[in-house]
Amino acid sequence: MNKKNKIKIGILAIALISQSGVALSPSIATIGQDFPGISISLIQSLVTIGGFTGFFSALLCGKLQDYFSLRQLGIFSTALVFIFGSLPIILHTNFYVLLVFSGVVGFGTGMITVVSPSLISTYFQGDERSSFLGKQTAFQGIGNMATLAIGGYLATYGWVNNYYIFLLPAISLLLFILMLPKDIKSPQSSISKEEDKTLQTTDKTSKLSLTAIPVLTLLFVSVSITVITAGVMNNVSIFTAQHNIGDTSVSGLALSTLSLGSISAGLLINRVTRLFKSYTLLSGYLLLIFSFLCLLYLPNIFGLFVGSYLAGLGAGIVMTRLVFLLTSLVKEKLIPKVVSLYSAFTSIGFFISAFLLNELSSLFTNDLTKGSFIVSIVLSLLICFLLLATKLENKVVFTNQLAFDK
């Protein structure tokens, strides 16, 4: 097996666990029953606190790439997910201890979401980069699908059993160690001073800085997509129980269907991009709107699974496209930093999702699950309006094409 294929296997191995912080989603309702004194928003934080800690680890990881190789950072972050995800199998009587463990897991996954695309941006360019980013998204979805389905099944025997799913990152850790060579460097750390001066000169007219308006706007959009996606994950188990659709295994399968949508997006991203071109982001948000309409107007098992699939498909298209646009738009030496910022922004969106959606929903309804779906529709419509009014994606693609031509 050649070196490049080994690197691909190593990247995809950690991509499988990069979103494992949502593993407890099928058990939110039953955990709440065992901790009746804890508010539902705080119970949901077991899933979303990883967004808060991931925000800091993503920013930190961008800086750490100046001192450590991507291989070292990948090993450290994967080990955190494995160790602190597994500890609650033994220590699970105190809710706040569980919350701390979830936070550390989120810290690890936050670093993984920087390491993985940074490796891809180091070794792949153009359509090959877009295609492999799609495969990464697909493997994230596969990991989610397995995690949520198996976790939901295990949770039928008690929510503590849901934590056994965190034994799987041990396999990812082993594969990453075996497949990633020790000389992996980030783009920034491997650039000499002379090369850096050359890049600053040649990139000045073709690529953008981190503070450029298109970059900042795309980062803002990245917050919205994780607010919306986390809203689905946080509410599926509650929605399933609320409408007597099924138990934790059914909600786990529904969340796995969401992951299946994400897998589809990753595998089809190049075709979707060729079809919709500068409206690729818009197509993703429209799919999200349709997904929430299914959940609102078809509160049964059919609506649950169709809505979940469309939500995953839409979110997968948007998130894969955002990473490609951001890494293509900025100067080469800024790729690690823009990936870190993207991961940080998506992490904070994931963390604030439960509180933001619940607070906004409480202004007009007592049914917070239904309300969060309505708020998500409104937010998606606002982003669609922003994309159409600014023609943002068209400008980004045009700017990137100019850089490519030069």
Side-chain angles (χ1 to χ4, degrees), residues 236 239-258 291 293-310:
V236 160
F239 178 85
T240 304
Q242 197 175 52
H243 294 281
N244 299 314
I245 298 174
D247 57 14
T248 56
S249 63
V250 174
S251 60
L253 285 173
L255 288 166
S256 296
T257 304
L258 185 147
S291 74
L293 291 175
C294 282
L295 292 168
L296 286 171
Y297 292 102
L298 295 171
N300 51 43
I301 196 164
F302 176 78
L304 174 67
F305 281 93
V306 172
S308 296
Y309 178 80
L310 291 178

Side-chain angles (χ1 to χ4, degrees), residues 230-353:
V232 180
M233 293 179 175
N234 287 335
N235 286 286
V236 160
S237 66
I238 299 172
F239 178 85
T240 304
Q242 197 175 52
H243 294 281
N244 299 314
I245 298 174
D247 57 14
T248 56
S249 63
V250 174
S251 60
L253 285 173
L255 288 166
S256 296
T257 304
L258 185 147
S259 299
L260 181 62
S262 180
I263 294 169
S264 301
L267 295 175
L268 298 173
I269 188 63
N270 278 5
R271 293 184 181 180
V272 172
T273 303
R274 283 196 292 270
L275 179 63
F276 292 102
K277 297 182 174 61
S278 298
Y279 297 99
T280 301
L281 290 177
L282 183 68
S283 70
Y285 279 99
L286 290 176
L287 283 171
L288 284 165
I289 291 171
F290 287 133
S291 74
F292 289 115
L293 291 175
C294 282
L295 292 168
L296 286 171
Y297 292 102
L298 295 171
N300 51 43
I301 196 164
F302 176 78
L304 174 67
F305 281 93
V306 172
S308 296
Y309 178 80
L310 291 178
L313 183 63
I317 289 171
V318 172
M319 297 182 81
T320 305
R321 185 63 167 167
L322 282 172
V323 176
F324 174 73
L325 292 174
L326 285 167
T327 56
S328 300
L329 194 58
V330 300
K331 300 174 183 180
E332 190 72 17
K333 69 188 183 72
L334 294 177
I335 286 177
K337 285 186 169 58
V338 81
V339 171
S340 295
L341 285 173
Y342 168 78
S343 297
F345 274 65
T346 53
S347 293
I348 202 65
F350 196 77
F351 173 68
I352 67 173
S353 177

Side-chain angles (χ1 to χ4, degrees), residues 31-44 95-96 99:
I31 292 174
Q33 293 170 7
D34 275 9
F35 295 99
I38 307 295
S39 70
I40 186 62
S41 292
L42 198 53
I43 294 291
Q44 289 174 331
F95 173 79
Y96 294 100
L99 195 61

